[in-house]
Amino acid sequence: MNITVCVKQIPDQSSPGKLDPGSHNLVRDGKLILDDSDSYGVEMALQLAAEAGGGEVTLVSMAPNGEVSGIRTALAMGADKAVLVSDAKLAGADALTTAKVLAAAIKRNPFDLVIAATESTDGYTGTVPVQIAEILDIPSVSFAKKVELSGGILKVQRQTELGYDQVECPLPALISVTAGVVEPRYPSFKGIMSAKSKPVEVLEASTLGIEPGRNQEIITVRSAEERSSGVIITDEGDAHQQIIEFLEQLKVI
Amino acid sequence: MTLSKIWVFAESTESGITSTSLELISAASKFADHVEVFVASPEPGYSEIVGAYGATKLIQVTDVNDRLIGTVVASAMAQLLSGNTVDAIFFAMTPEGRDCAARLSVKLDVPVLTNVVNLSVDGTRLVSEHAIFGGSEIVQAGFTGSSPAIFAIRAKSFTAESRGGMPAEVVQVGVGDLGSAGKARIVEQHLEERSGPKLDEAPVVVSGGRGLGQAENYKLVEELAKLLGGAPGASRAIVDAGWVPYSYQVGQTGKTVKPNVYIACGISGATQHMVGMKGAKNIIAINKDEDAPIFSIADLGIVGDVHKIVPKLIEALQSRT
């Protein structure tokens, strides 16, 4: 069972994001880390491969400047190898271009299943996984919150607006998983050491036959209207009374 | 009106066309003369409601069966687009809406602008607005290539307004076999039961987060919501932790709510959460960390322990009735 996992390497989310004032692209310099949302997909792949009795877990990623630190984290968790597409021409690529790049990278290795996060933490367009499935002409089950594999058929609980659907799907297929689908492992010391020597193939867009075009533009960026700051108090044992008074003023009670 | 035709992918439940879909139809009817609505349901009664909100045509995709809706409707749209000029296509930022927009985007080789919170006409094209970095900045974007422009729009970005239009003309289409892409099958549907007002329609929403400490304490949130005639909600953190189902989630991936009063209990205010509740008229936040980002948007912020304050608040409200 060969599984390919799409992983994104993103700026540390504890510091607020910013846009480049000239290009309006998201600033992605400095150290990038593995998007937390992707650790669930990596864990799911490792578990499914182990249950299937073997096969390779391959990572695919697209990042500037040959950045691999986030990939190394996923390799340290136990993935076998990675394909990284890194090309200055891809700066500010839209979701469709990203999907084309990742789909081409996925095709470099045999796969039975492709796993991605439902959406990235920094860009959250949430369309890349299903775009990849359409490019690869395979079925997709997005928003998977529980995944089992039996007899070559995926059995997935797929989140819906009202609850969930039980979905069955033959392989090859793509799933996008929600956070919380499995509990990601922490890389072991041995894992971290061995990750350093695992193969990472680094490619440019042109090697994959992709010429990034641009079909959408950012026109302006402005600050949103700030909410006027309210009253902040420290509870001295009677804060509930202040809430009651506030609700009375609003005529909620 | 500058545009000629907009398509809308409308979603339906047992109780009819969703309110988010009606918002999209209303918006589309402001921008274009012809609004054509796709539904994955054979229900004939929908022609009246979509017509009332401004749709001129209802296109029913009749052979969804047990296949995933997004995949089927994307194929129906791609088939009907040849020989048809459509300026823009609107989707909701729901699981089905995203699936459909993503598949269609590849079929047409057109990108999708997602997380749209507003739209306006600029010359002959639509430009969209997107709230980024937790809503602190607004980006305005537009398509530069050929039509149609594909927009995935957040709930509650527009008001659903009936304009008293005539029932829409009904057209039925089938897509047939979809090859390997259409092989996923729904074998069972589970609806989560909820009592009280709906989360995205309630006048008061009380949400809980990690600061509640443990799953058992979520009952404080439910109790408070009930006393205020509101609905209980949750941050992504406690949904991921399995304390409450996804249908409770408020935020980027969950529901967008705009109640009169929003009470955040033990929620720090991650970007993911704030995007979904920033539009509330009045925000009350209770959190023990005085530096929590949620306080930057709170009208009344209480630095304190939710485990002490919420029970007292519940007791005080109970003694009033």
Side-chain angles (χ1 to χ4, degrees), chain A residues 150-225:
Chain A
S150 75
I153 303 284
L154 281 169
K155 302 191 170 183
V156 180
Q157 286 185 7
R158 176 176 185 259
Q159 244 165 36
T160 61
E161 290 287 290
L162 302 172
Y164 68 90
D165 289 348
Q166 185 70 44
V167 178
E168 293 189 0
C169 182
L171 298 175
L174 175 144
I175 52 173
S176 78
V177 297
T178 63
V181 66
V182 283
E183 189 63 42
R185 70 193 67 184
Y186 288 104
S188 65
F189 179 69
K190 199 175 142 222
I192 293 167
M193 295 312 289
S194 67
K196 290 178 181 165
S197 56
K198 286 179 176 172
V200 178
E201 184 185 19
V202 183
L203 303 169
E204 291 188 345
S206 56
T207 317
L208 296 169
I210 290 168
E211 206 44 56
R214 201 168 264 214
N215 231 338
Q216 58 188 37
E217 60 171 350
I218 288 182
I219 303 163
T220 60
V221 180
R222 65 171 196 270
S223 292
E225 244 173 79

Side-chain angles (χ1 to χ4, degrees), chain B residues 199-222:
Chain B
L199 179 55
D200 50 2
E201 290 169 8
V204 176
V205 172
V206 184
S207 283
R210 276 267 190 227
L212 290 170
Q214 49 186 332
E216 292 77 60
N217 292 335
Y218 188 77
K219 64 176 188 292
L220 292 172
V221 168
E222 287 175 313

